[in-house]
Amino acid sequence: MSEQKTPKFPNKYLVLGVFSLIIGCLFLLWTLGYLPAFERLWPLPIIFTGLFSLYLVIIQEKNEMYLLIGLLLTLMGIFLLLVTTIISAKYLSKIWPGFMLITGISLVPYGMRKQKEKYKLAIMIPAVTIIMLSCFFFLFSLDIMDLTFQQFISIWWPILII
């Protein structure tokens, strides 16, 4: 009987293809003038580390903690890449709830992978709360509400008692 050895790094062509696709898109954006300087691409190692963590969970079925780490690093890296390349620094004060939203979104798939219901709820409830709070804060930071946050709290504080 001959035993088949499982490769140490399965799906290496998939990883190589995705990596080539990302690098090619970045070079295309650079040649088209959308990415004027490579020093603004410092979040790319963060994104690649996150993608590698996701690879470990999805392809190699490692511990689900890699899922949370991978999602956080990937989403945060993409957000930071947008801030350093497309979104100007003056708008960062308007989109700060995006950091909370990234954390909440990252917790959802992590919580869904938990097997026991009590652990799933212990992660999903804070995740949904963080997502809702970030959407609430977006209303004020993007000036969708006519009131300031301070005015809103001074009027609606009794809702905390209810």
Side-chain angles (χ1 to χ4, degrees):
M1 284 187 186
S2 65
E3 291 182 24
Q4 283 187 331
K5 285 187 174 181
T6 57
K8 230 179 187 184
F9 194 66
N11 298 318
K12 59 185 170 190
Y13 295 116
L14 174 68
V15 172
L16 183 64
V18 169
F19 183 73
S20 298
L21 180 72
I22 292 170
I23 295 297
C25 288
L26 287 173
F27 279 130
L28 181 63
L29 289 172
W30 178 62
T31 58
L32 291 173
Y34 291 109
L35 297 176
F38 276 111
E39 62 267 6
R40 292 185 179 179
L41 301 178
W42 63 265
L44 284 179
I46 297 170
I47 295 171
F48 290 140
T49 304
L51 290 174
F52 182 72
S53 293
L54 291 175
Y55 167 80
L56 290 176
V57 172
I58 295 169
I59 304 296
Q60 293 191 349
E61 299 175 2
K62 296 287 185 183
N63 189 345
E64 71 239 3
M65 183 54 93
Y66 289 111
L67 178 66
L68 178 62
I69 293 169
L71 285 170
L72 275 173
L73 289 175
T74 303
L75 291 173
M76 192 62 68
I78 291 170
F79 185 76
L80 291 171
L81 185 65
L82 289 173
V83 167
T84 59
T85 56
I86 297 172
I87 302 171
S88 67
K90 69 179 181 179
Y91 293 115
L92 191 57
S93 65
K94 294 204 174 277
I95 59 171
W96 68 267
F99 290 109
M100 289 175 57
L101 188 62
I102 288 169
T103 304
I105 290 172
S106 297
L107 284 172
V108 170
Y110 176 67
M112 295 302 290
R113 282 187 66 115
K114 290 290 187 183
Q115 299 298 322
K116 295 185 179 178
E117 196 65 33
K118 68 178 185 177
Y119 295 128
K120 192 177 284 193
L121 283 176
I123 293 173
M124 292 302 290
I125 290 173
V128 171
T129 304
I130 291 171
I131 291 170
M132 289 172 47
L133 276 174
S134 66
C135 292
F136 175 72
F137 289 135
F138 264 127
L139 293 174
F140 297 103
S141 67
L142 297 176
D143 297 325
I144 295 172
M145 297 278 293
D146 292 332
L147 301 171
T148 65
F149 182 70
Q150 187 176 10
Q151 292 169 336
F152 181 83
I153 293 298
S154 67
I155 294 170
W156 290 94
W157 68 268
I159 210 160
L160 294 173
I161 298 171
I162 297 171

